[in-house]
Amino acid sequence: MALLPEPSPDIDTAQTGDIELLDINEQDMDSVLSTLSSKTARTLLVAITEEPGTPSALATRLDVSLQTVSYHVDALEGADLIRVAGTRYSEKGREMKIYAPCENPVVLVFGAD
C-alpha cells in the first residue's frame, strides 16, 4: 500500500448521451432554473465541465469556500446537471467524490415547438 494518495483518475467530460430537452412547462425546469439562478452555481458548472474535480479542488480553483461549493454541488446534482464520476482518496485517507457533467447534454426550450 502506498503512503501517498493516488492521483485523480482521468475522468471523461464528454457528454455522449442523448440530448435532453427541457420545456419551460416541465416540472424539472423549476429545479434547473432555480439552481442556475445563482452565478456561483453557473461558474461551478462551467468549471466542472472544463475539468472534473472534488469539492475541495473546485473550491481552491474558484477561490470560494468548501461550504459554498458543497451547497451548489448538491443543487447541481439534484437538478441532474452534474454526476459523481469517480472517487479518490485524500491525504488523510478520506474518500472524496469527483464531479463531472452529466452524460446527457441539457437544452432548455422556451417558446414554440
Side-chain angles (χ1 to χ4, degrees):
M1 182 167 104
L3 294 176
L4 296 175
E6 294 180 20
S8 296
D10 289 331
I11 302 292
D12 186 9
T13 61
Q15 292 180 291
T16 57
D18 295 328
I19 293 175
E20 184 177 340
L21 297 175
L22 284 182
D23 184 87
I24 194 160
N25 294 320
E26 290 184 40
Q27 187 167 350
D28 291 345
M29 183 67 87
D30 289 342
S31 175
V32 170
L33 289 178
S34 176
T35 300
L36 294 178
S37 68
S38 165
K39 182 175 172 89
T40 303
R42 293 190 307 271
T43 301
L44 185 57
L45 181 58
V46 169
I48 290 170
T49 301
E50 290 172 351
E51 183 181 343
T54 63
S56 59
L58 292 163
T60 300
R61 277 182 20 214
L62 298 176
D63 195 27
V64 295
S65 73
L66 180 57
Q67 293 81 7
T68 298
V69 168
S70 294
Y71 173 82
H72 290 290
V73 160
D74 287 346
L76 289 165
E77 187 177 21
D80 292 328
L81 296 172
I82 62 172
R83 64 186 166 87
V84 175
T87 57
R88 70 172 294 259
Y89 290 90
S90 72
E91 291 179 8
K92 295 181 180 180
R94 293 189 181 123
E95 186 177 64
M96 300 184 304
K97 296 176 182 176
I98 300 172
Y99 291 92
C102 282
E103 292 187 10
N104 294 341
V106 176
V107 176
L108 308 179
V109 180
F110 304 94
D113 293 334

